[in-house]
Amino acid sequence: MSGARLAAQLPEPGRFWIRYVPKSWEPPERPWVNLAAAALGDWGRGKPRSPDLAALAETPLDDVLYLPPVPPRRIKERDEAARDRLMGGTPVLVQLLPGEESTVPAVAGVAFVFDLLQALLERDLGALRRLPAGSTAVWPLIPELTDDPALWELGCRDLAAAGVRCAQALALTLTPADRRLLADRWGGEEGTFDALFHREPRAERDFARAAHRHGLTAFLPRPLPRPPVLGAGNRRIGGDLALAAEVWLRLGRPIETGQALYRDARWVDRSTYDLEALAREGNLGVLPLSPQSREIVNEHAEAGESEWLAQLIAEYLAPEEDPGDASRRMPDAQPLSS
């Protein structure tokens, strides 16, 4: 696809690993969340921009292509574009609204994310119970409307009962027009208007703890490219580095270490070296990686995953009243082994 049809952004775990975003899109008439921007999607406000969905299959992309929700009349065309991209090796994120189905095959490289915005605004928890098993849901955080811990408990209970695998929180950036729209349509409760205009939503970490109590994972695994697109191994490692950076910073740890992890994640994504092979040969020292990043790469070479990252996430999800004693807390910036 020509660059004119797509915008590119840095893939981040907090933004569902999205790299490529169509510049033109016909949105649904129902409320939805723009995952790439962490904002309200455009619905019922102005003339829709019709995308050239067939053009999405022109050229393979090496990272996640975001396909937002569409009106019912566009679903078939959107699914065809997703299937074509997957056949070319491009990882794809397909965003669905509760009750929708997709004909895109559930193969490696595709992620289906169900958008709970309208269901939560209208307190339709039955929609959560009808999501397909093994799916992922995004829980948008909006002051007073969707960030009540009591609502989290009810919603996560229903998501877990449906067999949903992952429920990821997303704190939305709201414009003044967004706040007025939300207040006009769903601001009937006392205090909602003031909350919408005068406070931030509760932290994503607080929701992640609630989801974890119900057996839901907190982050969508990174969708990886498939042949003929190369580099899945490095993308997996780069994803772990980026996730470590994100969780590290959310824990309030030293910013310099988090920035170094993010910088190394970007470098790994671009690298043509086989990092796991270099680690097994003992040659990681020649690469421009921080000691902590080398540790994560070494763990991948040895076990296919990072125990250091797993410990970091466990601390992030630990109950607030029992964050763990000093023996279980992560070191500030030291690798676990030499």
Side-chain angles (χ1 to χ4, degrees), residues 163 231 311:
Q311 292 180 30

Side-chain angles (χ1 to χ4, degrees), residues 107-178:
V107 298
V110 65
F112 300 99
V113 177
F114 283 86
D115 184 342
L116 303 183
L117 176 61
Q118 184 176 20
L120 296 175
L121 291 174
E122 298 179 354
R123 296 298 188 265
D124 179 14
L125 297 186
L128 278 59
R129 293 191 290 271
R130 294 189 291 272
L131 294 186
S135 59
T136 293
V138 55
W139 189 295
L141 296 178
I142 301 173
E144 198 67 21
L145 293 178
T146 66
D147 71 342
D148 179 359
L151 179 63
W152 294 349
E153 292 297 327
L154 293 173
C156 290
R157 176 203 64 190
D158 290 341
L159 291 172
V164 170
R165 178 185 61 180
C166 171
Q168 182 168 334
L170 185 64
L172 301 188
T173 300
L174 301 175
T175 66
D178 292 333

Side-chain angles (χ1 to χ4, degrees), residues 210-246:
H212 178 66
R213 288 195 296 272
H214 290 273
L216 302 166
T217 60
F219 296 98
L220 173 73
R222 186 178 193 176
L224 300 174
R226 303 189 304 165
V229 178
L230 304 178
N234 280 5
R235 288 293 162 83
R236 184 180 293 107
I237 295 171
D240 271 8
L241 292 172
L243 183 55
E246 182 73 18

Side-chain angles (χ1 to χ4, degrees), residues 22-239:
K23 290 184 177 180
S24 179
W25 200 255
E26 183 176 354
E29 291 300 316
R30 299 162 58 184
W32 63 286
V33 173
N34 185 329
L35 300 181
L40 286 185
D42 187 16
W43 84 91
R45 294 182 289 186
K47 184 178 180 180
R49 297 169 297 166
S50 296
D52 182 6
L53 286 169
L56 291 176
E58 287 181 2
T59 306
L61 301 171
D62 63 351
D63 215 334
V64 176
L65 171 65
Y66 175 40
L67 298 180
V70 293
R73 65 181 176 275
R74 288 281 191 173
I75 288 177
K76 180 180 179 181
E77 192 178 357
R78 187 271 318 276
D79 285 359
E80 288 175 353
R83 288 196 298 270
D84 288 342
R85 277 299 186 178
L86 285 168
M87 289 179 62
T90 295
V92 175
L93 187 153
V94 179
Q95 184 177 350
L96 303 170
L97 304 179
E100 291 183 343
E101 296 181 354
S102 172
T103 59
V104 178
V107 298
V110 65
F112 300 99
V113 177
F114 283 86
D115 184 342
L116 303 183
L117 176 61
Q118 184 176 20
L120 296 175
L121 291 174
E122 298 179 354
R123 296 298 188 265
D124 179 14
L125 297 186
L128 278 59
R129 293 191 290 271
R130 294 189 291 272
L131 294 186
S135 59
T136 293
V138 55
W139 189 295
L141 296 178
I142 301 173
E144 198 67 21
L145 293 178
T146 66
D147 71 342
D148 179 359
L151 179 63
W152 294 349
E153 292 297 327
L154 293 173
C156 290
R157 176 203 64 190
D158 290 341
L159 291 172
V164 170
R165 178 185 61 180
C166 171
Q168 182 168 334
L170 185 64
L172 301 188
T173 300
L174 301 175
T175 66
D178 292 333
R179 297 175 197 274
R180 287 192 294 271
L181 174 64
L182 291 166
D184 289 344
R185 297 197 184 187
W186 294 283
E189 297 294 327
E190 184 178 355
T192 300
F193 182 90
D194 285 342
L196 279 169
F197 281 89
H198 300 298
R199 80 165 172 85
E200 296 298 316
R202 290 183 172 87
E204 291 163 322
R205 184 185 184 187
D206 293 338
F207 175 84
R209 285 166 163 162
H212 178 66
R213 288 195 296 272
H214 290 273
L216 302 166
T217 60
F219 296 98
L220 173 73
R222 186 178 193 176
L224 300 174
R226 303 189 304 165
V229 178
L230 304 178
N234 280 5
R235 288 293 162 83
R236 184 180 293 107
I237 295 171

Side-chain angles (χ1 to χ4, degrees), residues 251-272:
L251 286 169
R253 297 299 185 83
I255 293 175
E256 295 79 7
T257 301
Q259 290 175 334
L261 286 164
Y262 257 132
R263 181 198 65 224
D264 291 346
R266 311 301 183 214
W267 186 90
V268 168
D269 274 359
R270 296 190 304 267
S271 176
T272 58

